[in-house]
Amino acid sequence: MSKSLESQNFRVGRYSVYPRSCGKKTVWYYSYYDETGKRIRESTRKTNAIAAEEYVTNLLLKEYEEKKRRRECSRALTFGEFTKDFFCWGESEWVRRQHARGKKLKKVSVKLRQAHIDNYLLPIFCDDPLDAITAIRFENEVLFKLPLSNSTLNGILYTMKIIMRHAKRLGKIEKNPIEEIEPLSTKDYKRRDILTEEELNLAFPEDKEKFIEIWPYPLYGVMYATIVSPGMRSGEQF
């Protein structure tokens, strides 16, 4: 550190270090931008540039060690391991956290989120390292590929966002790439034709075991079978 820098701004990594007059003495501060782009200013509580530089350098070293620790912790963690019982009502850490925050959750909604994991997400991402999942792959493998309505796909997207937000909060990943994905439009859609008798028999088989195989939550199957039976139109269903 040269003497000429004793009264000048300088940088240490991502930190900008600068002096500020506080009464009769000069105190060195540092600033940086957080993940949201907000500028943060903090005092080093040091009165000379050399001590301030050492203080900020130690901050960078601590950040490096923390990032290294997080990478080591998440390296072997797969999506399947992290999402095991993720929305299980009695065991889920996420569910307990929502209750602790005063959020009112419906059991049926939580079960639907778990169904998204079991039926759609695990078959694609089960063995993938959690920090290797990208926005492009999610869009290509889920949003643009699965033969589901945009409304259902948006529900799966929201489930994935919940999972990845929780992973980031726990320090399992450094960045949540799913957060930047926008939901699909539900305004412009192709109206579906009436189901044929053959399609109805496939969707609502009389055999109980086959029915449960298609409808893991029989309540939904019974509900939709009731809607279809009298020939209700989409605007009359709810």
Side-chain angles (χ1 to χ4, degrees), residues 84-96:
K84 186 177 184 300
D85 298 327
F86 191 92
F87 291 106
C88 182
W89 189 261
E91 301 176 25
S92 168
E93 179 186 346
W94 180 84
V95 171
R96 287 197 299 270

Side-chain angles (χ1 to χ4, degrees), residues 90-231:
E91 301 176 25
S92 168
E93 179 186 346
W94 180 84
V95 171
R96 287 197 299 270
R97 183 167 178 265
Q98 301 312 304
H99 286 156
R101 296 173 63 192
K103 296 286 186 71
K104 294 182 179 179
L105 299 177
K106 294 182 179 179
K107 252 185 182 180
V108 64
S109 298
V110 174
K111 285 184 176 180
L112 181 61
R113 299 286 174 206
Q114 187 62 48
H116 287 164
I117 293 175
D118 297 339
N119 297 334
Y120 305 114
L121 298 176
L122 282 180
I124 300 172
F125 302 107
C126 183
D127 296 324
D128 285 25
L130 200 60
D131 58 1
I133 297 172
T134 65
I136 292 176
R137 181 159 180 242
F138 184 87
E139 289 177 337
N140 290 339
E141 295 291 328
V142 179
L143 296 186
F144 304 153
K145 188 173 183 179
L146 295 180
L148 302 168
S149 70
N150 283 7
S151 179
T152 300
L153 290 169
N154 284 340
I156 297 171
L157 170 61
Y158 188 69
T159 296
M160 190 66 162
K161 286 186 176 183
I162 291 175
I163 294 168
M164 299 300 274
R165 285 171 189 163
H166 192 59
K168 184 178 178 183
R169 189 184 74 85
L170 294 178
K172 305 299 183 183
I173 55 176
E174 293 183 17
K175 182 182 177 182
N176 176 6
I178 307 303
E179 199 65 50
E180 65 191 44
I181 301 177
E182 296 181 357
L184 300 172
S185 172
T186 56
K187 292 182 180 179
D188 301 322
Y189 63 92
K190 184 178 180 181
R191 192 174 292 276
R192 294 188 177 94
D193 293 331
I194 298 172
L195 293 174
T196 65
E197 184 175 350
E198 181 181 358
E199 289 171 333
L200 287 171
N201 290 333
L202 289 173
F204 306 102
E206 294 183 3
D207 184 271
K208 184 178 179 180
E209 291 184 1
K210 289 183 179 180
F211 187 90
I212 294 177
E213 183 178 342
I214 295 173
W215 301 93
Y217 301 103
L219 176 63
Y220 289 109
V222 173
M223 179 180 71
Y224 284 110
T226 303
I227 290 172
V228 170
S229 296

Side-chain angles (χ1 to χ4, degrees), residues 19-70:
R20 178 179 291 179
S21 296
C22 298
K24 295 182 179 181
K25 64 180 181 179
T26 297
V27 177
W28 286 80
Y29 283 73
Y30 65 96
S31 66
Y32 62 96
Y33 292 92
D34 65 12
E35 293 178 350
T36 65
K38 181 181 178 181
R39 189 180 183 187
I40 307 297
R41 299 176 178 86
E42 300 285 351
S43 172
T44 66
R45 301 186 180 183
K46 307 299 179 182
T47 56
N48 65 78
I50 294 176
E53 182 183 35
E54 182 179 354
Y55 179 89
V56 175
T57 300
N58 286 333
L59 285 181
L60 285 175
L61 289 174
K62 288 179 181 178
E63 287 181 4
Y64 172 78
E65 291 298 328
E66 178 61 19
K67 287 182 179 179
K68 182 180 178 182
R69 184 191 67 80
R70 289 185 179 185

